[in-house]
Amino acid sequence: MEPRIVTRQGDGSAALLTRSQIRSELEEGTRAAAARARAPELGADELDHLLDIFASRARFSAVDIGDEVVLSFDGSGTPQQGSRVDALVQYEQCLGADSCELYHIDYSYKAVKTIVGAEQQAMKEAQERVTIPVHYGAQPDLGRYSYPDGPCGNWSELLPAMRIDEARAAQEQAVELAVEDMAHVAGELYEAGADGVNFDTAGAAGDADLLATLLAVERLRAKYPAMGIMVGMAAEIVLGTHGELEYRGVRLAGLKPEGQCRMVQEAGATIYGPAVNVNTSRTVAWNVARALTFMKPCMDVARIPVHANVGMGVGGVPMNAFSPVDAVSRCSRACVDVLKCDGL
């Protein structure tokens, strides 16, 4: 009888599987993603390597010396003691972070626009105290522009009522407003000293959300040729909430990581962050194999650094407020070893 190995479910709970069962989970995960993404399954050698990672009884798993990658963050340093800037200093000096991100608790460019002056002052202080690169980040958050929070029609209500044209018009109006807000806030923070900006969870509200992000990136690149711009995605497939929106002749609805990467780098971003959501009812091994299969094709077309998203609920990392380190380290190592990504 095969010995059982402690592994994890997608919600972080412990599970006991044999080596053969883990192999089966990996095969099922890559097969599921390949069918959905219309992409090649992971090769036998890649599955063998993943099996070695997930069948190990070690508490922590890591890449080989020399294979380390840069870590970027979407919102780093939640203040436990002191201010937001104090938290960034702790990230640098206590945790050895490669970079950090100043952010406002209301993580939205629309909300930050009303307090951009105060955020500039915080960025100035951060630049005076922190040595590593300090980015500024928030979400495009297109839904903020719909009723009752914004001036546009609420497409989440219009679409179920089959008022398709009104829903599309509302999203198009929201795109125009969001582009103005994102370009304004990002530009102001860059001029205050930010080493770069982050558009986090792009596409969360669908193809219109992603279009707004791409147009904002395009505008910022034209105005600030040296600006570092990171775009982290919301999911492995862009929802067609509008369905007909295009960027440079490419339809955005349905784009998977390969297509997302093409659009992000065409717009002028300097880092692309693919995201693949976790199925909490399946094992971490299944989720990682699925995530890698979705993300691998983007590595062949990337001309900019790719930082795979391996946070709570994406990239195979369990959907848990305190994700277990054994799962997080295995997910991170798998992305580096198999994808050969530039960062996490």
Side-chain angles (χ1 to χ4, degrees):
M1 180 179 291
E2 283 188 275
R4 293 193 296 174
I5 301 160
V6 177
T7 185
R8 298 282 177 176
Q9 291 291 115
D11 62 359
S13 59
L16 290 172
L17 274 69
T18 65
R19 188 178 177 90
S20 297
Q21 288 174 322
I22 293 175
R23 176 72 186 212
S24 179
E25 288 290 297
L26 293 168
E27 291 174 348
E28 288 182 26
T30 189
R31 197 158 46 240
R36 182 68 168 157
R38 298 180 183 176
E41 296 181 19
L42 296 178
D45 56 337
E46 293 168 324
L47 291 173
D48 288 341
H49 186 62
L50 291 176
L51 179 59
D52 289 339
I53 292 174
F54 282 94
S56 169
R57 294 185 179 277
R59 173 67 172 167
F60 189 91
S61 186
V63 299
D64 294 340
I65 294 175
D67 289 344
E68 300 91 343
V69 298
V70 174
L71 300 184
S72 55
F73 298 90
D74 52 343
S76 49
T78 301
Q80 300 296 333
Q81 295 179 334
S83 68
R84 289 183 292 163
V85 177
D86 292 331
L88 299 184
V89 174
Q90 293 164 20
Y91 244 64
E92 175 187 63
Q93 298 187 7
C94 299
L95 302 179
D98 300 310
S99 66
C100 59
E101 180 180 289
L102 180 70
Y103 70 102
H104 189 267
I105 192 66
D106 200 340
Y107 202 55
S108 164
Y109 280 98
K110 179 177 183 289
V112 171
K113 183 180 180 181
T114 63
I115 55 168
V116 69
E119 293 300 275
Q120 285 181 302
Q121 181 61 41
M123 177 58 71
K124 179 178 182 295
E125 181 188 349
Q127 292 295 339
E128 291 171 346
R129 296 180 58 195
V130 180
T131 303
I132 59 176
V134 181
H135 300 113
Y136 190 85
Q139 294 181 355
D141 210 359
L142 200 70
R144 295 270 188 138
Y145 296 87
S146 66
Y147 298 144
D149 300 309
C152 307
N154 191 321
W155 49 91
S156 295
E157 296 176 353
L158 295 169
L159 286 171
M162 298 305 292
R163 295 159 65 180
I164 308 300
D165 291 341
E166 292 178 60
R168 285 175 170 161
Q171 291 176 77
E172 291 164 13
Q173 180 187 5
V175 167
E176 295 180 7
L177 297 172
V179 171
E180 293 295 330
D181 288 351
M182 287 190 283
H184 172 71
V185 171
E188 292 293 296
L189 268 297
Y190 184 66
E191 292 183 3
D195 296 290
V197 296
N198 178 25
F199 295 97
D200 182 45
T201 325
D207 47 350
D209 191 297
L210 178 57
L211 178 61
T213 305
L214 296 173
L215 293 174
V217 170
E218 187 179 80
R219 184 180 300 190
L220 290 165
R221 174 60 59 229
K223 187 173 182 180
Y224 305 104
M227 177 185 277
I229 305 175
M230 181 162 52
V231 176
M233 297 302 300
E236 61 272 22
I237 299 176
V238 178
L239 295 175
T241 311
H242 185 290
E244 296 182 343
L245 295 176
E246 296 183 352
Y247 179 72
R248 299 193 180 186
V250 177
R251 185 183 180 191
L252 298 179
L255 282 186
K256 301 172 186 70
E258 178 183 354
Q260 296 168 11
C261 183
R262 291 180 188 274
M263 294 299 97
V264 165
Q265 63 191 14
E266 281 294 317
T270 52
I271 295 177
Y272 163 64
V276 180
N277 291 311
V278 161
N279 182 336
T280 57
S281 67
R282 301 302 303 255
T283 64
V284 169
W286 184 94
N287 278 293
V288 166
R290 178 176 180 272
L292 295 178
T293 305
F294 262 107
M295 292 189 286
K296 190 179 177 183
C298 82
M299 301 305 302
D300 295 329
V301 303
R303 304 192 307 270
I304 59 176
V306 174
H307 287 206
N309 275 279
V310 283
M312 180 178 67
V314 289
V317 175
M319 177 59 77
N320 188 295
F322 301 97
S323 298
V325 68
D326 51 286
V328 176
S329 63
R330 282 165 170 75
C331 296
S332 301
R333 180 183 176 186
C335 285
V336 176
D337 287 353
V338 175
L339 294 182
K340 308 300 180 185
C341 57
D342 307 280
L344 299 170

